[in-house]
């Protein structure tokens, strides 16, 4: 595999009037990587994707594709393709014609493009659906057609702009698994934009967390989740109890601001675990989540925390108003900057 980045962004900025949407992004994305850009609406992630695709022109900075500067190239001159949340399938065309359209535009003969389109449909598990119209498909099937249409032209990089956002939860989870399988099978670079942190954690080799036009943390899914660098990341990627430096010192005996994930807290019902910090409080609420229960505890120190307990492991059920002791092992106090 080439050591040259599939995508290199250098000093990339984008302003719209007085609004700075992207504020100087530097980023390398490796060949064959499933890379996610995660952040809330307005954080700059989609604007960066559109500049990679060529749909937006950077105010400053450069976009390179496998070492070639494509900053000024038109979208059709870049070896990338995009799948949008709105699949934009042609309603008057069959599924096969939709998938083959990009090859038709490129001048590929009928037999060649139909053969390639059938192979692409097979890749997304839609064998036998070629003669149908988009209106005869479910939302998940239309999503697969859009994916096949993007892949059939064999781009070096596939850009995915929240393509699963319109699907229901079960179908979205199913498509997450299938997307990852397809990406591994093809070995091409996928760049995935989402505001759904669970989706990013599920799919990604690495994640760039965006906020206010900047990348505020870059790392593997495990690194971003287990070791958030800032209060924003700790709260946006999952749920955390965030302690300022003063709170951490007074409540936890810890030097510096830190965050604690709910699954790292436990209600002590026997001997206190070794090398742990214990906190007194009262149960304010219990929320049954199926396999687990989220227990909201108001600490005597004035802080509210959430404790996540697996239901098959909990020794007894917590009750609202109950006085409890909450413990966290010191190794789970994630330092924040």
């Amino acid at each position: 595999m080439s050591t040259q980045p599939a995508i290199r962004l250098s000093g990339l900025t984008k302003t719209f009037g007085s609004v700075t949407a992207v504020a100087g992004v530097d980023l390398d994305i490796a060949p064959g990587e499933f890379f996610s850009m995660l952040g809330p609406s307005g954080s700059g992630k989609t604007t960066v994707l559109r500049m990679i695709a060529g749909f937006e022109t950077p105010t400053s900075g450069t976009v390179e594709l496998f070492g070639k500067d494509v900053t000024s190239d038109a979208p059709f001159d870049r070896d990338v393709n995009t799948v949008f949340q709105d699949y934009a399938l042609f309603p008057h065309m069959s599924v096969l014609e939709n998938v083959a359209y990009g090859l038709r535009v490129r001048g590929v003969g009928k037999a060649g493009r139909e053969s390639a389109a059938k192979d692409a449909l097979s890749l997304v598990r839609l064998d036998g659906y070629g003669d149908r119209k988009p209106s005869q498909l479910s939302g998940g099937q239309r999503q697969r057609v859009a994916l096949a249409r993007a892949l059939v032209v064999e781009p070096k990089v596939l850009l995915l702009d929240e393509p699963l956002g319109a699907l229901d939860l079960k179908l979205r989870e199913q498509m997450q698994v299938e997307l990852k399988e397809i990406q591994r099978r093809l070995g091409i670079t996928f760049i995935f934009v989402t505001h759904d942190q669970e989706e990013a954690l599920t799919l990604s080799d690495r994640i760039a967390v965006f906020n206010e036009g900047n990348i505020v943390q870059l790392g593997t899914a495990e690194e971003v989740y287990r070791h958030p660098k800032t209060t924003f990341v700790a709260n946006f990627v999952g749920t955390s109890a965030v302690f300022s430096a003063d709170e951490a010192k007074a409540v936890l005996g810890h030097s510096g601001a830190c965050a604690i994930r709910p699954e790292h807290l436990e209600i002590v019902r026997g001997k206190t675990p070794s090398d742990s910090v214990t906190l007194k409080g009262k149960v304010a609420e219990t929320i049954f989540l199926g396999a687990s229960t989220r227990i909201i505890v108001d600490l005597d120190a004035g802080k509210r925390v959430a404790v996540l307990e697996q239901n098959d492991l909990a020794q007894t059920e917590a009750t609202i108003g109950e006085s409890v002791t909450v413990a966290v092992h010191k190794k789970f106090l994630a330092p924040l900057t």
Side-chain angles (χ1 to χ4, degrees):
M1 181 178 291
S2 171
T3 57
Q4 193 174 55
I7 294 290
R8 169 166 284 170
L9 309 179
S10 302
L12 201 65
T13 68
K14 181 65 179 180
T15 58
F16 297 96
S18 61
V19 176
T20 300
V22 179
V25 167
D26 296 300
L27 177 65
D28 283 359
I29 300 174
E33 187 172 22
F34 200 123
F35 188 91
S36 288
M37 296 192 287
L38 171 68
S41 297
S43 61
K45 61 189 187 301
T46 298
T47 303
V48 169
L49 190 84
R50 290 179 61 82
M51 287 191 283
I52 294 172
F55 301 135
E56 296 283 357
T57 302
T59 303
S60 62
T62 58
V63 178
E64 293 181 19
L65 175 64
F66 286 94
K68 179 190 176 187
D69 188 337
V70 297
T71 311
S72 301
D73 290 356
F76 51 80
D77 287 329
R78 305 184 187 203
D79 202 354
V80 303
N81 216 337
T82 308
V83 179
F84 299 99
Q85 183 174 341
D86 178 0
Y87 310 135
L89 302 177
F90 298 114
H92 63 287
M93 291 185 182
S94 69
V95 165
L96 190 68
E97 289 169 335
N98 264 283
V99 174
Y101 182 76
L103 296 174
R104 177 182 168 187
V105 170
R106 297 184 182 201
V108 177
K110 183 177 180 180
R113 66 177 183 256
E114 287 188 355
S115 175
K118 287 178 181 177
D119 288 343
L121 286 172
S122 179
L123 180 68
V124 298
R125 302 181 186 178
L126 284 179
D127 300 274
Y129 285 76
D131 293 334
R132 299 193 189 187
K133 293 291 177 63
S135 61
Q136 297 174 303
L137 303 179
S138 68
Q141 289 168 338
R142 288 195 295 273
Q143 198 274 346
R144 287 183 173 90
V145 174
L147 183 60
R149 183 178 61 183
L151 291 170
V152 74
V153 296
E154 299 181 346
K156 289 183 177 179
V157 177
L158 185 67
L159 310 175
L160 301 109
D161 187 8
E162 305 202 41
L164 310 182
L167 304 180
D168 62 59
L169 178 61
K170 274 290 185 185
L171 190 52
R172 192 159 69 244
E173 290 175 345
Q174 178 185 342
M175 285 306 305
Q176 288 170 8
V177 173
E178 293 189 13
L179 266 180
K180 189 63 178 173
E181 288 178 348
I182 289 169
Q183 190 267 339
R184 282 178 175 163
R185 202 177 314 151
L186 295 177
I188 67 174
T189 305
F190 277 29
I191 303 177
F192 190 90
V193 163
T194 182
H195 63 269
D196 186 324
Q197 52 91 11
E198 185 174 334
E199 196 163 77
L201 293 172
T202 299
L203 289 168
S204 311
D205 296 318
R206 284 192 305 153
I207 299 170
V209 183
F210 279 75
N211 189 36
E212 297 181 342
N214 294 288
I215 295 176
V216 292
Q217 186 162 351
L218 175 66
T220 65
E222 184 173 356
E223 287 168 349
V224 170
Y225 184 81
R226 293 191 182 277
H227 306 290
K229 290 183 177 179
T230 68
T231 298
F232 172 81
V233 176
N235 283 324
F236 187 76
V237 183
T239 303
S240 292
V242 175
F243 293 79
S244 67
D246 289 343
E247 289 172 333
K249 185 175 182 180
V251 179
L252 303 171
H254 179 77
S255 177
C258 64
I260 307 172
R261 297 292 188 188
E263 64 270 26
H264 294 152
L265 288 163
E266 64 174 298
I267 292 176
V268 178
R269 295 184 172 90
K271 184 180 178 181
T272 301
S274 60
D275 207 19
S276 294
V277 178
T278 57
L279 308 165
K280 301 289 186 180
K282 285 189 177 182
V283 176
E285 188 60 80
T286 62
I287 304 167
F288 180 75
L289 301 173
S292 60
T293 295
R294 187 180 297 272
I295 304 165
I296 310 301
V297 178
D298 287 330
L299 301 178
D300 293 348
K303 192 81 174 175
R304 171 169 282 194
V305 299
V307 181
L308 192 67
E309 286 195 336
Q310 297 300 310
N311 288 330
D312 57 348
L313 298 178
Q315 298 170 356
T316 58
E317 292 184 6
T319 58
I320 295 174
E322 177 187 358
S323 294
V324 294
T325 298
V326 177
V328 57
H329 195 285
K330 291 178 181 178
K331 70 180 180 181
F332 292 129
L333 302 178
L336 300 174
T337 57

